[in-house]
Amino acid sequence: MRRVLALCAVAGIASSVFAVPASAKVGYYVIRWDNTGICQVWNEDLQYKPLQIGVSTYKVVSKSFPTFQQASDLQIKLRAERKCTL
């Protein structure tokens, strides 16, 4: 009985070790709204995607970045290049 309990405890700890890196991998990316040209930093960790209603659609215009600051820097660069209006 003790061996089974110890085996279950070890299995639980091992599975939690593998689960932590997956949940810690949060990314940010830049999206561009087609109807306004506004670029926005979006968090992949959010449960819902931005709502696309009628002409209000968006495209992902960047790769995933590990930090908000990196995505924000790209957003500012895109504005300077006139690829985004805001």
Side-chain angles (χ1 to χ4, degrees):
M1 184 67 164
R2 286 185 180 185
R3 288 183 184 174
V4 172
L5 189 58
L7 182 61
C8 288
V10 169
I13 292 169
S15 66
S16 68
V17 168
F18 292 118
V20 169
S23 64
K25 188 178 181 182
V26 175
Y28 300 89
Y29 55 92
V30 179
I31 60 173
R32 183 180 185 276
W33 292 96
D34 293 331
N35 61 336
T36 61
I38 293 174
C39 287
Q40 178 181 5
V41 176
W42 194 260
N43 184 344
E44 291 178 344
D45 196 36
L46 296 174
Q47 291 181 340
Y48 302 103
K49 299 287 183 193
L51 292 177
Q52 297 189 51
I53 302 171
V55 296
S56 181
T57 59
Y58 69 92
K59 292 180 184 172
V60 177
V61 294
S62 74
K63 64 177 184 164
S64 180
F65 292 99
T67 66
F68 178 84
Q69 185 63 47
Q70 290 173 325
S72 180
D73 290 344
L74 177 65
Q75 179 191 19
I76 292 167
K77 179 183 174 190
L78 291 172
R79 281 191 299 197
E81 295 172 354
R82 303 273 186 217
K83 295 181 180 177
C84 297
T85 58
L86 182 64

XYZ file of all heavy atoms in Angstrom:
674
model
N 0.814 -1.181 0.000
C 0.000 0.000 0.000
C 0.867 1.258 0.000
O 0.562 2.209 -0.697
C -0.933 -0.040 1.212
C -1.888 1.103 1.248
S -3.035 0.952 -0.098
C -4.278 2.040 0.400
N 1.924 1.254 0.789
C 2.815 2.414 0.853
C 3.541 2.617 -0.470
O 3.775 3.749 -0.880
C 3.832 2.260 1.978
C 3.246 2.457 3.338
C 4.311 2.411 4.391
N 3.717 2.602 5.700
C 4.401 2.710 6.798
N 5.715 2.623 6.765
N 3.802 2.886 7.946
N 3.903 1.517 -1.122
C 4.592 1.639 -2.409
C 3.685 2.278 -3.451
O 4.120 3.104 -4.236
C 5.054 0.274 -2.896
C 6.199 -0.277 -2.108
C 6.648 -1.585 -2.665
N 7.712 -2.157 -1.841
C 8.223 -3.335 -2.000
N 7.765 -4.121 -2.959
N 9.186 -3.758 -1.215
N 2.422 1.896 -3.461
C 1.471 2.460 -4.412
C 1.289 3.945 -4.139
O 1.278 4.766 -5.060
C 0.116 1.710 -4.340
C -0.923 2.409 -5.182
C 0.290 0.267 -4.765
N 1.168 4.315 -2.871
C 1.011 5.714 -2.502
C 2.252 6.520 -2.884
O 2.140 7.625 -3.425
C 0.741 5.821 -1.000
C 0.340 7.191 -0.481
C -0.923 7.665 -1.192
C 0.097 7.128 1.013
N 3.430 5.955 -2.646
C 4.673 6.637 -3.009
C 4.787 6.777 -4.522
O 5.208 7.820 -5.035
C 5.878 5.876 -2.454
N 4.387 5.746 -5.249
C 4.433 5.794 -6.709
C 3.484 6.859 -7.257
O 3.830 7.604 -8.178
C 4.076 4.423 -7.287
C 4.135 4.295 -8.801
C 5.541 4.567 -9.305
C 3.669 2.927 -9.237
N 2.306 6.964 -6.662
C 1.351 7.998 -7.076
C 1.893 9.396 -6.789
O 1.719 10.317 -7.594
C 0.016 7.799 -6.371
S -0.900 6.381 -6.974
N 2.545 9.550 -5.649
C 3.117 10.858 -5.300
C 4.217 11.243 -6.281
O 4.280 12.386 -6.746
C 3.656 10.821 -3.879
N 5.073 10.294 -6.628
C 6.155 10.571 -7.577
C 5.576 10.902 -8.953
O 6.032 11.832 -9.624
C 7.122 9.362 -7.659
C 8.082 9.514 -8.832
C 7.884 9.230 -6.353
N 4.561 10.178 -9.372
C 3.930 10.446 -10.673
C 3.282 11.825 -10.686
O 3.354 12.548 -11.686
C 2.894 9.365 -10.985
N 2.652 12.208 -9.598
C 2.038 13.536 -9.521
C 3.060 14.648 -9.586
O 2.861 15.651 -10.272
N 4.156 14.483 -8.885
C 5.218 15.497 -8.911
C 5.843 15.579 -10.295
O 6.073 16.668 -10.822
C 6.282 15.192 -7.827
C 5.672 15.384 -6.440
C 7.513 16.062 -8.013
C 6.533 14.877 -5.311
N 6.084 14.439 -10.911
C 6.681 14.428 -12.249
C 5.768 15.088 -13.269
O 6.218 15.847 -14.132
C 6.994 12.996 -12.677
N 4.467 14.840 -13.178
C 3.548 15.458 -14.144
C 3.442 16.958 -13.922
O 3.280 17.718 -14.874
C 2.171 14.807 -14.073
O 1.577 15.071 -12.815
N 3.552 17.425 -12.693
C 3.492 18.864 -12.449
C 4.746 19.561 -12.954
O 4.694 20.716 -13.365
C 3.279 19.147 -10.965
O 4.428 18.767 -10.220
N 5.870 18.882 -12.960
C 7.106 19.459 -13.488
C 6.967 19.703 -14.982
O 7.399 20.709 -15.508
C 8.314 18.533 -13.191
C 9.541 18.950 -13.976
C 8.614 18.529 -11.706
N 6.318 18.780 -15.676
C 6.130 18.947 -17.126
C 5.049 19.966 -17.435
O 5.051 20.567 -18.492
C 5.792 17.612 -17.778
C 6.939 16.641 -17.743
C 6.828 15.446 -17.065
C 8.134 16.939 -18.387
C 7.880 14.556 -17.029
C 9.193 16.057 -18.357
C 9.070 14.854 -17.680
N 4.114 20.194 -16.547
C 3.010 21.113 -16.801
C 3.431 22.571 -16.604
O 2.893 23.450 -17.244
C 1.833 20.797 -15.891
N 4.381 22.842 -15.759
C 4.778 24.218 -15.463
C 5.344 24.942 -16.682
O 4.914 26.044 -16.977
C 5.767 24.260 -14.278
C 6.390 25.634 -14.123
C 5.053 23.847 -13.008
N 6.280 24.367 -17.439
C 6.791 25.115 -18.589
C 5.720 25.424 -19.629
O 5.757 26.470 -20.257
C 7.858 24.183 -19.176
C 8.271 23.318 -18.050
C 7.033 23.160 -17.211
N 4.760 24.565 -19.815
C 3.712 24.819 -20.804
C 2.852 26.003 -20.389
O 2.486 26.832 -21.207
C 2.857 23.569 -20.979
N 2.514 26.108 -19.117
C 1.675 27.216 -18.671
C 2.473 28.509 -18.522
O 1.911 29.582 -18.579
C 0.989 26.861 -17.348
O 1.964 26.690 -16.343
N 3.776 28.402 -18.349
C 4.601 29.588 -18.204
C 4.919 30.236 -19.555
O 5.431 31.332 -19.607
C 5.898 29.245 -17.483
N 4.600 29.553 -20.629
C 4.913 30.058 -21.964
C 3.777 30.953 -22.455
O 2.918 30.544 -23.204
C 5.140 28.896 -22.919
C 5.661 29.311 -24.259
C 5.904 28.115 -25.120
C 6.463 28.537 -26.461
N 6.662 27.386 -27.331
N 3.776 32.187 -22.015
C 2.773 33.162 -22.434
C 3.432 34.059 -23.467
O 4.561 34.490 -23.292
C 2.290 34.004 -21.240
C 1.341 35.083 -21.687
C 1.641 33.104 -20.214
N 2.715 34.330 -24.542
C 3.292 35.159 -25.585
C 2.408 36.339 -25.929
O 1.218 36.370 -25.624
N 3.009 37.298 -26.554
C 2.320 38.500 -27.009
C 2.579 38.649 -28.495
O 3.661 38.312 -28.986
C 2.854 39.734 -26.267
C 2.672 39.660 -24.786
C 3.640 39.091 -23.971
C 1.520 40.141 -24.194
C 3.465 39.007 -22.599
C 1.333 40.067 -22.820
C 2.310 39.497 -22.036
O 2.133 39.411 -20.681
N 1.594 39.138 -29.208
C 1.790 39.407 -30.624
C 1.037 40.670 -30.996
O 0.211 41.164 -30.242
C 1.388 38.220 -31.494
C -0.021 37.719 -31.298
C -1.060 38.211 -32.081
C -0.309 36.739 -30.361
C -2.352 37.753 -31.916
C -1.598 36.270 -30.199
C -2.613 36.777 -30.982
O -3.885 36.323 -30.820
N 1.361 41.205 -32.167
C 0.737 42.442 -32.637
C -0.307 42.075 -33.683
O -0.034 41.298 -34.596
C 1.787 43.394 -33.243
C 1.129 44.666 -33.764
C 2.852 43.740 -32.210
N -1.499 42.631 -33.516
C -2.553 42.460 -34.511
C -2.850 43.816 -35.135
O -2.625 44.857 -34.513
C -3.836 41.849 -33.902
C -4.412 42.733 -32.802
C -3.578 40.452 -33.386
C -5.764 42.271 -32.276
N -3.317 43.797 -36.382
C -3.674 45.040 -37.084
C -5.119 44.945 -37.523
O -5.511 44.009 -38.215
C -2.780 45.252 -38.296
C -3.059 46.553 -39.015
C -2.146 46.721 -40.227
N -2.352 48.014 -40.834
C -3.312 48.278 -41.722
N -4.137 47.332 -42.097
N -3.440 49.484 -42.228
N -5.930 45.916 -37.103
C -7.339 45.965 -37.477
C -7.456 46.490 -38.904
O -6.920 47.552 -39.227
C -8.121 46.838 -36.499
C -8.196 46.209 -35.147
C -7.381 46.451 -34.083
C -9.114 45.212 -34.729
N -7.737 45.663 -33.027
C -8.805 44.886 -33.387
C -10.174 44.542 -35.339
C -9.512 43.929 -32.659
C -10.876 43.592 -34.615
C -10.548 43.308 -33.298
N -8.142 45.739 -39.762
C -8.232 46.082 -41.184
C -9.017 47.360 -41.446
O -8.651 48.151 -42.311
C -8.874 44.925 -41.965
C -7.983 43.698 -41.977
O -6.752 43.853 -41.902
O -8.522 42.578 -42.066
N -10.093 47.576 -40.718
C -10.945 48.729 -41.027
C -10.364 50.064 -40.540
O -10.693 51.107 -41.072
C -12.353 48.529 -40.466
C -12.367 48.381 -38.958
O -11.377 47.991 -38.358
N -13.491 48.683 -38.351
N -9.502 50.047 -39.526
C -8.944 51.299 -38.989
C -7.435 51.413 -39.160
O -6.897 52.511 -39.086
C -9.254 51.431 -37.485
O -8.659 50.329 -36.800
C -10.744 51.486 -37.231
N -6.751 50.293 -39.338
C -5.296 50.316 -39.437
C -4.602 50.400 -38.095
O -3.386 50.540 -38.023
N -5.355 50.311 -37.020
C -4.785 50.390 -35.676
C -4.110 49.065 -35.332
O -4.666 47.998 -35.562
C -5.876 50.714 -34.639
C -6.413 52.129 -34.880
C -5.354 50.566 -33.216
C -7.589 52.493 -34.009
N -2.908 49.150 -34.793
C -2.201 47.961 -34.320
C -2.348 47.864 -32.806
O -2.367 48.875 -32.103
C -0.726 48.017 -34.692
S -0.435 47.751 -36.440
N -2.438 46.642 -32.329
C -2.691 46.396 -30.912
C -1.869 45.201 -30.466
O -1.721 44.226 -31.211
C -4.185 46.112 -30.751
C -4.645 45.795 -29.375
C -6.151 45.517 -29.338
O -6.822 45.481 -30.355
N -6.658 45.300 -28.146
N -1.334 45.255 -29.261
C -0.634 44.115 -28.673
C -1.681 43.219 -28.042
O -2.553 43.685 -27.306
C 0.401 44.571 -27.620
C 1.049 43.375 -26.947
C 1.458 45.459 -28.254
N -1.603 41.931 -28.344
C -2.575 40.976 -27.825
C -1.847 39.887 -27.065
O -0.788 39.425 -27.468
C -3.393 40.369 -28.960
C -4.597 39.670 -28.456
C -4.745 38.324 -28.282
C -5.814 40.258 -28.017
N -5.985 38.058 -27.765
C -6.658 39.230 -27.594
C -6.272 41.571 -27.940
C -7.929 39.463 -27.103
C -7.539 41.800 -27.460
C -8.353 40.763 -27.057
N -2.414 39.449 -25.971
C -1.844 38.429 -25.101
C -2.432 37.078 -25.472
O -3.650 36.904 -25.463
C -2.172 38.782 -23.649
C -1.556 37.842 -22.658
O -1.114 36.755 -22.995
N -1.529 38.257 -21.412
N -1.598 36.102 -25.774
C -2.065 34.760 -26.125
C -2.712 34.042 -24.946
O -3.428 33.073 -25.132
C -0.907 33.911 -26.646
C -0.385 34.358 -27.976
C 0.793 33.529 -28.435
O 1.396 32.821 -27.616
O 1.123 33.592 -29.624
N -2.457 34.496 -23.743
C -2.974 33.835 -22.553
C -4.453 34.154 -22.304
O -5.106 33.473 -21.521
C -2.138 34.239 -21.341
C -2.357 33.315 -20.149
O -2.547 32.111 -20.367
O -2.323 33.812 -19.014
N -4.985 35.167 -22.963
C -6.392 35.520 -22.774
C -7.283 34.403 -23.315
O -6.959 33.766 -24.314
C -6.715 36.838 -23.470
C -5.981 38.055 -22.921
C -6.264 39.271 -23.777
C -6.392 38.319 -21.484
N -8.402 34.183 -22.666
C -9.286 33.090 -23.056
C -9.976 33.359 -24.383
O -10.275 32.443 -25.123
C -10.346 32.861 -21.982
C -9.781 32.290 -20.713
C -10.876 32.066 -19.690
O -11.936 32.645 -19.771
N -10.609 31.207 -18.732
N -10.260 34.605 -24.692
C -11.022 34.943 -25.889
C -10.162 35.692 -26.889
O -9.334 36.502 -26.517
C -12.230 35.807 -25.514
C -13.132 35.136 -24.517
C -13.111 35.510 -23.182
C -13.980 34.111 -24.905
C -13.921 34.890 -22.256
C -14.799 33.480 -23.982
C -14.770 33.870 -22.673
O -15.565 33.245 -21.758
N -10.387 35.430 -28.145
C -9.740 36.176 -29.225
C -10.516 37.472 -29.428
O -11.674 37.578 -29.057
C -9.755 35.356 -30.518
C -9.013 34.042 -30.412
C -7.542 34.297 -30.380
C -6.791 32.974 -30.361
N -5.406 33.105 -30.046
N -9.897 38.473 -30.066
C -10.638 39.708 -30.352
C -11.855 39.414 -31.233
O -11.787 38.572 -32.132
C -9.627 40.569 -31.106
C -8.297 39.979 -30.803
C -8.518 38.545 -30.515
N -12.954 40.095 -30.978
C -14.176 39.876 -31.746
C -14.041 40.480 -33.138
O -13.627 41.633 -33.286
C -15.371 40.504 -31.032
C -15.776 39.857 -29.713
C -16.923 40.636 -29.091
C -16.180 38.414 -29.918
N -14.390 39.702 -34.132
C -14.382 40.172 -35.515
C -15.832 40.265 -35.973
O -16.472 39.260 -36.230
C -13.602 39.219 -36.407
C -12.138 39.125 -36.022
C -11.329 38.364 -37.037
O -11.381 38.653 -38.222
N -10.570 37.392 -36.565
N -16.332 41.482 -36.054
C -17.737 41.704 -36.403
C -17.798 42.534 -37.675
O -17.281 43.655 -37.718
C -18.479 42.420 -35.259
C -18.378 41.607 -33.981
C -19.922 42.678 -35.632
C -18.879 42.317 -32.756
N -18.434 42.010 -38.717
C -18.610 42.754 -39.961
C -17.292 43.135 -40.592
O -16.464 42.277 -40.892
N -17.070 44.433 -40.780
C -15.829 44.917 -41.398
C -14.700 45.043 -40.388
O -13.575 45.349 -40.752
C -16.052 46.279 -42.095
C -17.017 46.149 -43.243
C -16.520 47.329 -41.108
N -15.000 44.830 -39.129
C -13.996 44.933 -38.078
C -13.266 43.593 -37.937
O -13.582 42.771 -37.094
C -14.661 45.313 -36.751
O -13.692 45.440 -35.744
N -12.277 43.383 -38.810
C -11.477 42.160 -38.771
C -10.026 42.538 -38.515
O -9.627 43.683 -38.682
C -11.582 41.386 -40.095
O -11.132 42.232 -41.157
C -13.015 40.945 -40.365
N -9.244 41.561 -38.113
C -7.839 41.821 -37.828
C -6.972 40.734 -38.431
O -7.442 39.650 -38.769
C -7.580 41.907 -36.319
C -7.729 40.594 -35.599
C -6.624 39.761 -35.416
C -8.947 40.176 -35.106
C -6.743 38.551 -34.761
C -9.076 38.973 -34.443
C -7.970 38.166 -34.273
O -8.095 36.972 -33.637
N -5.682 41.042 -38.543
C -4.674 40.080 -38.980
C -3.534 40.121 -37.986
O -3.189 41.181 -37.461
C -4.140 40.429 -40.365
C -5.150 40.266 -41.467
C -4.531 40.634 -42.800
C -5.606 40.563 -43.872
N -5.145 41.080 -45.143
N -2.934 38.976 -37.739
C -1.739 38.912 -36.901
C -0.569 39.339 -37.778
O -0.345 38.767 -38.843
C -1.536 37.491 -36.342
C -0.252 37.415 -35.534
C -2.722 37.076 -35.499
N 0.161 40.368 -37.353
C 1.240 40.917 -38.171
C 2.626 40.708 -37.556
O 3.596 41.318 -37.995
C 1.012 42.422 -38.455
C -0.207 42.624 -39.329
C 0.924 43.221 -37.177
N 2.714 39.844 -36.556
C 4.021 39.597 -35.936
C 4.102 38.158 -35.468
O 3.100 37.463 -35.365
C 4.244 40.528 -34.745
O 3.454 40.127 -33.644
N 5.317 37.772 -35.159
C 5.513 36.485 -34.497
C 5.188 36.659 -33.020
O 4.970 37.781 -32.548
C 6.957 36.018 -34.672
C 7.972 36.938 -34.002
C 9.367 36.424 -34.123
C 10.304 37.346 -33.333
N 11.571 36.775 -33.072
N 5.165 35.596 -32.290
C 4.904 35.653 -30.853
C 6.165 36.112 -30.129
O 7.260 35.638 -30.408
C 4.490 34.273 -30.356
O 4.237 34.306 -28.986
N 5.997 37.070 -29.215
C 7.106 37.579 -28.402
C 6.919 37.125 -26.962
O 5.790 37.066 -26.465
C 7.153 39.108 -28.441
C 7.524 39.664 -29.782
C 6.553 40.126 -30.644
C 8.848 39.716 -30.174
C 6.885 40.641 -31.882
C 9.195 40.232 -31.411
C 8.211 40.693 -32.266
N 8.005 36.848 -26.237
C 7.881 36.393 -24.848
C 7.476 37.487 -23.865
O 6.937 37.191 -22.809
C 9.261 35.837 -24.518
C 10.188 36.471 -25.493
C 9.388 36.789 -26.714
N 7.731 38.757 -24.206
C 7.396 39.840 -23.277
C 6.525 40.887 -23.970
O 6.588 41.062 -25.190
C 8.655 40.550 -22.741
O 9.315 41.218 -23.819
C 9.594 39.574 -22.054
N 5.735 41.584 -23.152
C 4.904 42.661 -23.668
C 5.760 43.778 -24.253
O 5.415 44.367 -25.272
C 4.018 43.215 -22.538
C 3.170 44.368 -22.975
C 1.956 44.147 -23.601
C 3.579 45.675 -22.769
C 1.164 45.213 -24.009
C 2.807 46.743 -23.175
C 1.587 46.509 -23.797
N 6.882 44.061 -23.621
C 7.755 45.147 -24.071
C 8.245 44.915 -25.487
O 8.290 45.844 -26.298
C 8.940 45.314 -23.114
C 9.831 46.492 -23.453
C 9.092 47.821 -23.349
O 8.401 48.070 -22.373
N 9.220 48.659 -24.353
N 8.625 43.688 -25.827
C 9.107 43.393 -27.173
C 7.999 43.596 -28.209
O 8.239 44.150 -29.283
C 9.641 41.968 -27.243
C 10.933 41.775 -26.477
C 11.345 40.326 -26.416
O 10.516 39.428 -26.334
N 12.649 40.083 -26.461
N 6.799 43.145 -27.889
C 5.672 43.337 -28.806
C 5.329 44.815 -28.937
O 5.033 45.304 -30.029
C 4.465 42.542 -28.324
N 5.389 45.534 -27.849
C 5.112 46.968 -27.875
C 6.151 47.724 -28.694
O 5.823 48.661 -29.428
C 5.068 47.517 -26.446
O 4.806 48.890 -26.450
N 7.411 47.318 -28.601
C 8.461 47.942 -29.408
C 8.189 47.750 -30.899
O 8.381 48.672 -31.693
C 9.834 47.373 -29.044
C 10.310 47.799 -27.670
O 9.742 48.768 -27.119
O 11.242 47.157 -27.144
N 7.734 46.561 -31.279
C 7.398 46.329 -32.679
C 6.199 47.174 -33.093
O 6.187 47.730 -34.194
C 7.102 44.849 -32.937
C 6.669 44.555 -34.368
C 7.801 44.838 -35.344
C 6.170 43.143 -34.507
N 5.224 47.297 -32.225
C 4.057 48.117 -32.524
C 4.480 49.569 -32.788
O 4.031 50.193 -33.746
C 3.057 48.070 -31.375
C 1.830 48.922 -31.599
C 0.984 49.057 -30.344
O 1.450 48.833 -29.244
N -0.267 49.431 -30.523
N 5.365 50.095 -31.981
C 5.866 51.466 -32.167
C 6.645 51.574 -33.478
O 6.513 52.560 -34.210
C 6.726 51.879 -30.953
C 5.824 51.999 -29.720
C 7.479 53.162 -31.222
C 6.570 52.104 -28.414
N 7.429 50.557 -33.796
C 8.179 50.560 -35.055
C 7.225 50.553 -36.252
O 7.442 51.265 -37.233
C 9.095 49.334 -35.101
C 9.904 49.226 -36.359
C 10.727 47.952 -36.364
C 11.409 47.795 -37.716
N 12.019 46.488 -37.851
N 6.163 49.762 -36.185
C 5.193 49.712 -37.277
C 4.487 51.056 -37.457
O 4.190 51.468 -38.584
C 4.172 48.600 -37.037
C 4.697 47.169 -37.149
C 3.640 46.173 -36.689
C 5.158 46.869 -38.562
N 4.223 51.751 -36.344
C 3.639 53.087 -36.449
C 4.600 54.064 -37.105
O 4.200 54.894 -37.922
C 3.224 53.605 -35.076
C 1.913 53.022 -34.609
C 1.429 53.740 -33.403
N 2.395 53.601 -32.308
C 2.145 53.838 -31.053
N 0.946 54.263 -30.690
N 3.038 53.681 -30.130
N 5.869 53.989 -36.758
C 6.879 54.878 -37.349
C 7.021 54.627 -38.846
O 7.292 55.550 -39.615
C 8.221 54.695 -36.648
N 6.833 53.380 -39.261
C 6.909 53.018 -40.686
C 5.600 53.270 -41.407
O 5.466 52.935 -42.573
C 7.313 51.553 -40.825
C 8.707 51.243 -40.321
C 9.008 49.755 -40.303
O 8.097 48.928 -40.572
O 10.167 49.406 -40.025
N 4.613 53.819 -40.727
C 3.289 54.125 -41.274
C 2.530 52.868 -41.720
O 1.711 52.930 -42.621
C 3.382 55.111 -42.427
C 4.057 56.404 -42.106
C 3.075 57.373 -41.558
N 3.732 58.679 -41.394
C 3.472 59.464 -40.402
N 2.589 59.114 -39.510
N 4.077 60.621 -40.281
N 2.821 51.729 -41.089
C 2.064 50.510 -41.374
C 0.872 50.381 -40.441
O 0.017 49.538 -40.647
C 2.971 49.292 -41.265
C 4.060 49.290 -42.320
C 4.938 48.083 -42.236
C 6.008 48.134 -43.318
N 6.933 47.020 -43.239
N 0.860 51.209 -39.398
C -0.251 51.285 -38.440
C -0.598 52.751 -38.228
O 0.279 53.609 -38.258
C 0.140 50.665 -37.101
S 0.517 48.927 -37.173
N -1.870 53.004 -37.985
C -2.286 54.398 -37.774
C -2.171 54.811 -36.310
O -2.036 55.974 -36.009
C -3.722 54.611 -38.247
O -4.588 53.724 -37.550
C -3.845 54.393 -39.735
N -2.264 53.884 -35.422
C -2.200 54.212 -33.992
C -1.531 53.105 -33.243
O -1.650 51.956 -33.525
C -3.606 54.437 -33.432
C -3.718 54.824 -31.976
C -3.085 56.177 -31.698
C -5.146 54.820 -31.532
